[in-house]
Amino acid sequence: DKYFFIDNWVKNDYEKFLDLQQEFVDGQEWIIDGNNVSSLEMRYQKADLCLYFNYSKLLCLWRLFCRLFDKDKNIDDRASNCKERVSWKFIKYMWRFDKCVRDSVEELRVKYSSVQFIEINNRKDLQELEFSLEDYLAGKVEEKK
């Protein structure tokens, strides 16, 4: 949202947005959090790892509303004057998201099979990922010693 919108939920020029995405993925290291389907391949083909968060629709809906009242002020993910909001259009988008993108994601997984893909469906999956990353990072620290 920080790059897709420019101010007060006004959309950025789409070509400019795609150019920004390309700049990011052409960089040495990057993390992109986003669900823009039209730029998905651009990001996926240059990724080492894709984390696909696929929580239940009810949990996502709950968190959508919780964000309205308890947004972490340290998270800088919005363009200027883009206050948290919920619209019926966004709820419908969120509700149908997995169904709309699942085939595209599966095609990318086949086409770019070297990209490690991890699907996270619940808190247990996330905790397992955290533990495995901690072990991985601890091993990297040991290698440097």
Side-chain angles (χ1 to χ4, degrees):
D1 287 346
K2 187 173 185 175
Y3 302 101
F4 190 78
F5 297 98
I6 51 175
D7 184 61
N8 200 23
W9 297 108
V10 174
K11 289 181 182 177
N12 197 349
D13 174 75
Y14 197 67
E15 289 303 315
K16 186 175 181 179
F17 169 72
L18 291 177
D19 288 345
L20 285 169
Q21 292 266 312
Q22 191 65 58
E23 280 183 46
F24 293 137
V25 300
D26 286 343
Q28 183 74 21
E29 297 177 342
W30 46 270
I31 297 173
I32 296 178
D33 169 24
N35 52 28
N36 184 282
V37 178
S38 60
S39 67
L40 188 57
E41 184 167 11
M42 173 196 309
R43 294 175 281 148
Y44 200 98
Q45 69 179 320
K46 294 203 174 184
D48 298 316
L49 170 66
C50 175
L51 301 177
Y52 186 77
F53 288 85
N54 192 22
Y55 287 114
S56 76
K57 293 174 183 174
L58 289 177
L59 179 59
C60 291
L61 185 62
W62 170 251
R63 288 182 175 175
L64 182 66
F65 283 101
C66 286
R67 244 176 25 187
L68 285 172
F69 305 105
D70 193 23
K71 173 87 169 147
D72 184 339
K73 302 209 183 326
N74 294 315
I75 298 174
D76 182 25
D77 65 345
R78 295 283 186 264
S80 112
N81 298 313
C82 291
K83 304 293 183 218
E84 209 59 58
R85 67 180 186 180
V86 175
S87 67
W88 184 244
K89 182 179 177 181
F90 188 64
I91 291 170
K92 289 191 306 188
Y93 174 78
M94 182 271 313
W95 199 262
R96 297 187 307 228
F97 181 77
D98 185 59
K99 184 178 180 184
C100 293
V101 301
R102 177 58 70 175
D103 290 343
S104 297
V105 169
E106 290 304 318
E107 288 173 15
L108 292 173
R109 288 182 70 186
V110 170
K111 188 172 181 179
Y112 304 103
S113 59
S114 64
V115 176
Q116 184 178 3
F117 181 89
I118 300 173
E119 185 167 345
I120 301 161
N121 294 294
N122 52 47
R123 180 170 286 184
K124 182 178 179 241
D125 291 349
L126 184 59
Q127 287 174 331
E128 288 174 5
L129 174 64
E130 290 170 348
F131 292 141
S132 64
L133 286 175
E134 288 172 5
D135 290 345
Y136 173 78
L137 292 173
K140 287 292 184 188
V141 169
E142 285 299 314
E143 286 177 15
K144 289 184 178 183
K145 288 184 179 180

